[in-house]
């Protein structure tokens, strides 16, 4: 099983700040890595697919990079509405999720 | 607009059974694989099962293999999850999700429903 480890688990950030969340896979998964945003009491929403492809309708401040075992989600100029938990997900081997990174807006 | 509406959740005793359903609309249902993903309250996400667009191929997480069965009815645009031998640790919100291709392997969930809560307790 591919284990995904996200860092940090929690981050308190101010609006307009640049945020970086990392996801490390226990084995190489190419670019089969995707990012989701889950706001409180809502279902997950796809942000980035295949490491760096933006999903339809996602604001341009969200971007992804990486391949192999190390991946990054970047949020440029954070907005208050970005308060959420972010999950990475790999689809190379059926599917596992990272443990999540909770972003709190100061 | 893609819409997924889950139903069938509720309270069930350990060892009991429950059937979840998901009604889909807004896309050509048979062209897409479908999945169930669950989430314990306040916890992370766990993929449970996937069925291909044709319904001929299914995949299961080890934690549910032999107890859960996924199926779909392409004439009714529905996907179901039959759960038997339920355990306390199966208590979760269960999400129905559309996958990005018809195959269901190597692709990803791109649209999610709002979820239905399953509580396993005596």
């Amino acid at each position: 099983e591919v284990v995904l480890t996200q860092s940090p688990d929690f981050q308190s950030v101010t609006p307009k700040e640049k945020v970086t969340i990392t996801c490390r896979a226990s084995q190489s998964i190419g670019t089969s890595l995707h990012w989701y945003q889950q706001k409180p009491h809502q279902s997950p929403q796809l942000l980035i697919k295949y490491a760096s492809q933006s999903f339809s309708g996602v604001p341009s401040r969200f971007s992804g990079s990486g391949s192999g075992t190390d991946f990054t989600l970047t949020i440029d100029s954070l907005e208050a509405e970005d308060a959420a938990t972010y999950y990475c997900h790999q689809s190379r081997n059926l599917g596992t999720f990272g443990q999540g990174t909770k972003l709190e807006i100061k | 607009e893609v819409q997924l509406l889950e139903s069938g959740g509720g309270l069930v005793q350990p060892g009991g059974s429950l059937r979840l359903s998901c009604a889909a609309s807004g896309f050509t249902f048979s062209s897409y694989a479908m999945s169930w993903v669950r989430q314990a309250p306040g916890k992370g996400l766990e993929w449970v099962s996937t069925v291909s667009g044709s319904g001929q191929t299914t995949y299961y997480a080890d934690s549910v293999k032999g107890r859960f069965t996924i199926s779909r009815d392409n004439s009714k645009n529905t996907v179901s999850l039959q759960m038997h031998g339920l355990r306390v640790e199966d208590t979760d919100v269960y999400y129905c999700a559309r996958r990005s291709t018809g195959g269901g392997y190597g692709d990803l969930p791109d649209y999610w429903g709002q979820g239905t809560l399953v509580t396993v307790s005596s």
Side-chain angles (χ1 to χ4, degrees), chain B residues 38 46 48-49 60-69 90 94:
Chain B
R38 66 184 181 181
E46 180 188 14
V48 173
S49 183
Y60 297 95
D62 288 343
S63 58
V64 306
K65 200 171 294 182
R67 300 188 297 125
F68 291 10
T69 301
D90 293 320
Y94 285 74

Side-chain angles (χ1 to χ4, degrees), chain A residues 11-33:
Chain A
Q11 191 169 4
S12 184
V13 293
T14 56
K16 299 187 179 181
E17 189 174 338
K18 179 178 180 178
V19 173
T20 299
I21 299 170
T22 65
C23 179
R24 175 163 289 176
S26 60
Q27 60 186 267
S28 180
I29 56 172
T31 57
S32 298
L33 192 285

